Amino acid sequence: MSTSGQLYSIQERDLALDARREELKQVLARLADESALARAREQLAQAQQELAQAEKAQRDAEGEVEDLRAKIAPVEDKMYSGTVTSPKELVAMQEDVQSLKARLRKLEDGVLDTMLQVEAARETASQRQSHLQDMETHRVQEKEDLSQRKATLDSEMVAIEADRHSLTSGVPEQALELYGRLRLAKQGRAVAKVEGGMCQGCRISLPTQHWQQARAGAGLVQCTSCSRILHVS
Ligand SMILES: [Zn+2]
């Protein structure tokens, strides 16, 4: 095989390695990324906090109702006990009880509101809990898949590296150096095929003499336009 042919084969391995390294980077990033789970946990914690606050508001409101009822009962007992004989005092007590009971009704309505809020908060917390559980289950599976993909990529890269290593034997040191330099400068593509007299690296038509020289395989010929090593298969 000509040197350009050998370099082209090496480049195919290098591009295959590049693609796997890039994918591996993404696989590792996804393996490490727990941000979606963290977000779901945060949202659940927030919902649980809101539920606790709503439950406290309900207890407070119920406490106020109980306190007020405890305040009304003895007044009513006294009113109906027959011990108060002054009509003026009785009327005052009645008015007092009426106003206390009006306040009680408002407080009882307030308790109903807090109960509805607790119910809504409980529903939200329960939804977020099951959402988090779904995500956790999904994440376990995802990590398993990603780990498997990582193992596959690792072993493929070992095989390609070995293949590449055996391809480099017999390639002149100078040619490998030029290849390495061009690979860095040309986004990984140091060798370009010539098809229809055209460099496939930059799509420029080459002088006939130039690509015929490349085809002859005597020494490396570079594209006059993009400098890539020309390979005529
Ligand atoms: Zn070119």
Side-chain angles (χ1 to χ4, degrees), residues 34-226:
E34 302 285 352
S35 63
L37 266 186
R39 223 169 17 251
R41 288 198 185 105
E42 219 171 89
Q43 282 169 346
L44 172 61
Q46 198 191 341
Q48 283 169 335
Q49 201 186 341
E50 278 166 14
L51 173 59
Q53 279 165 356
E55 283 172 336
K56 187 182 180 301
Q58 187 188 338
R59 280 196 305 276
D60 289 350
E62 284 169 344
E64 280 183 68
V65 165
E66 272 170 44
D67 289 350
L68 196 54
R69 280 191 187 136
K71 214 166 157 185
I72 295 169
V75 183
E76 278 188 323
D77 287 349
K78 200 177 168 192
M79 256 170 65
Y80 301 122
S81 67
T83 53
V84 185
T85 49
S86 150
K88 207 176 161 189
E89 198 182 336
L90 273 172
V91 167
M93 284 172 87
Q94 216 161 14
E95 280 174 355
D96 194 19
V97 166
Q98 264 168 5
S99 98
L100 286 174
K101 281 194 168 171
R103 218 183 121 211
L104 182 64
R105 278 192 293 279
K106 265 190 194 161
L107 287 179
E108 282 169 342
D109 287 347
V111 169
L112 283 179
D113 285 345
T114 61
M115 284 166 77
L116 290 176
Q117 275 160 13
V118 166
E119 209 175 298
R122 192 169 286 143
E123 179 63 23
T124 301
S126 133
Q127 275 170 0
R128 289 188 184 174
Q129 175 84 59
S130 73
H131 175 62
L132 176 62
Q133 271 162 0
D134 286 350
M135 282 186 77
E136 278 170 340
T137 309
H138 176 255
R139 180 66 177 153
V140 169
Q141 183 60 51
E142 185 185 37
K143 277 174 121 171
E144 218 168 272
D145 293 346
L146 288 169
S147 300
Q148 230 165 51
R149 186 65 195 141
K150 179 186 178 300
T152 304
L153 288 170
D154 284 340
S155 70
E156 281 177 358
M157 285 195 295
V158 168
I160 298 168
E161 298 258 22
D163 197 20
R164 183 196 192 279
H165 183 76
S166 68
L167 283 169
T168 55
S169 66
V171 180
E173 195 60 36
Q174 243 178 332
L176 282 175
E177 267 172 38
L178 175 64
Y179 168 79
R181 269 205 310 279
L182 286 171
R183 215 174 102 77
L184 281 177
K186 305 287 171 188
Q187 287 83 41
R189 291 176 189 272
V191 188
K193 273 193 174 180
V194 179
E195 275 165 19
M198 197 186 266
C199 165
Q200 295 304 301
C202 64
R203 318 290 296 175
I204 295 281
S205 286
L206 298 157
T208 314
Q209 200 191 350
H210 204 71
W211 70 262
Q212 277 176 345
Q213 208 180 332
R215 186 168 60 182
L220 295 179
V221 179
Q222 290 176 255
C223 172
T224 44
S225 167
C226 71

Side-chain angles (χ1 to χ4, degrees), residues 21-40:
R21 276 191 205 108
E22 187 51 43
E23 193 188 338
L24 185 62
K25 216 159 69 180
Q26 286 163 12
V27 164
L28 292 175
R30 284 178 62 197
L31 268 172
D33 184 7
E34 302 285 352
S35 63
L37 266 186
R39 223 169 17 251

